[in-house]
Amino acid sequence: MRTALLQSSGHPGSVAENLTVLDEAAGRAAAAGAVLLTAPEMFLTGYAIGDAVGRLAEPADGASAAAIAAIATRHGLAIAYGYPERDGDTVHNSAQLISADGTRLANYRKTHLFGPFERDHFTPGERQLVQAEVNGLTVGLLICYDVEFPENVRAHALAGTDLLLVPTAQMHPYQFVAESMIPVRAFENQMYVAYVNRVGREGEFEFVGLSVLAGPDGVARARAGRAGQLVFADADPAFLAASREANPYLRDRRPGLYGSLV
């Protein structure tokens, strides 16, 4: 399954301009044969937008979700994107997956908030495991800091996630997560992991790019640099099945020993 990773910070504070960026990227991705496009954390609005988070937050089925469904349908590919989700008086840092026919497949609320900015503006989600099917693969969703907790990724592995999408806003000096941790997460859990970052400076944050799609062998299938970029890689179900057969990590677990972890 050809997957496109959109490394971009778009236009912080402008939903309309970010929808235009997404539309253009979806056209390029579809032309390159991709069936799935993933955009970064908070792509719809921008990340470092202060109190505008609350003002720009939308429900999961809001106007922007409808606009992105139209983009997905027009270009014939699924789209995952980050956005601030309004649920009554509550705002979540969320990621939504929309199918190539415009159906809303999955919506995930970030469960592990990072730093004072996120804790001041968002309420953490309470559902760890969100999955959907895209082109015969089981696709899961996490957001940024969530993937740094091995329990989250292992829960996806045990639930059969084949491709884990991680819209992220990874900032300096934590680039080792993209460089080292993501390939290890993919290897130890026998799945593909697509880690899709913002880039450049926004307010007090400097986003490092380095988006990557890592395979179950721990090898990066595609890796972006430090600038805005659209990169492509394939998630191969046959290779995944062979890797899972050869790698015994999940079979050799001894859950009875792990009770103290929780």
Side-chain angles (χ1 to χ4, degrees):
M1 184 170 75
R2 175 138 288 204
T3 302
L5 283 59
L6 174 59
Q7 179 167 285
S8 171
S9 287
H11 300 271
S14 176
V15 171
E17 288 183 284
N18 291 331
L19 289 173
T20 297
V21 172
L22 189 65
D23 191 14
E24 187 273 338
R28 286 195 288 141
V35 297
L36 171 64
L37 169 67
T38 301
E41 180 177 4
M42 291 285 285
F43 180 78
L44 182 64
T45 60
Y47 182 92
I49 56 174
D51 291 338
V53 166
R55 176 173 57 82
L56 296 177
E58 297 185 24
D61 60 353
S64 292
I68 293 171
I71 292 171
T73 302
R74 181 161 59 252
H75 297 292
L77 81 172
I79 297 176
Y81 66 98
Y83 74 109
E85 179 193 354
R86 178 165 294 285
D87 183 7
D89 293 331
T90 301
V91 176
H92 299 280
N93 184 337
S94 296
Q96 184 149 230
L97 175 63
I98 295 179
S99 75
D101 67 6
T103 302
R104 293 173 48 245
L105 294 177
N107 189 68
Y108 171 77
R109 296 168 172 175
K110 190 174 187 177
T111 54
H112 295 72
L113 301 181
F114 178 79
F117 172 77
E118 291 192 9
R119 289 192 289 269
D120 286 346
H121 289 91
F122 300 108
T123 297
E126 296 297 331
R127 184 179 175 192
Q128 181 189 46
L129 193 66
V130 173
Q131 297 170 307
E133 184 173 307
V134 177
N135 279 48
L137 289 182
T138 300
V139 174
L141 291 168
L142 291 176
I143 299 174
C144 199
Y145 194 39
D146 290 326
V147 80
E148 298 176 36
F149 292 81
E151 299 88 348
N152 286 333
V153 188
R154 182 52 53 88
H156 273 277
L158 296 177
T161 292
D162 300 312
L163 170 60
L164 183 63
L165 306 180
V166 189
T168 190
Q170 182 63 68
M171 56 197 69
H172 178 81
Y174 306 111
Q175 49 266 32
F176 69 89
V177 174
E179 293 170 339
S180 302
M181 184 181 290
I182 297 305
V184 170
R185 287 283 181 270
F187 179 70
E188 69 190 2
N189 290 288
Q190 287 299 290
M191 62 175 64
Y192 288 93
V193 180
Y195 187 78
V196 188
N197 201 8
R198 305 181 68 81
V199 64
R201 183 167 291 280
E202 291 180 46
E204 64 183 289
F205 305 112
E206 180 187 349
F207 299 113
V208 299
L210 302 176
S211 298
V212 60
L213 193 149
D217 53 358
V219 175
R221 298 299 192 274
R223 188 182 289 280
R226 299 292 187 113
Q229 196 173 352
L230 185 66
V231 298
F232 300 90
D234 293 326
D236 181 352
F239 181 85
L240 179 60
S243 182
R244 286 172 168 172
E245 180 62 28
N247 186 306
Y249 273 155
L250 298 181
R251 294 191 300 274
D252 288 348
R253 293 172 64 252
R254 297 181 61 192
L257 299 179
Y258 309 150
S260 63
L261 295 178
V262 293

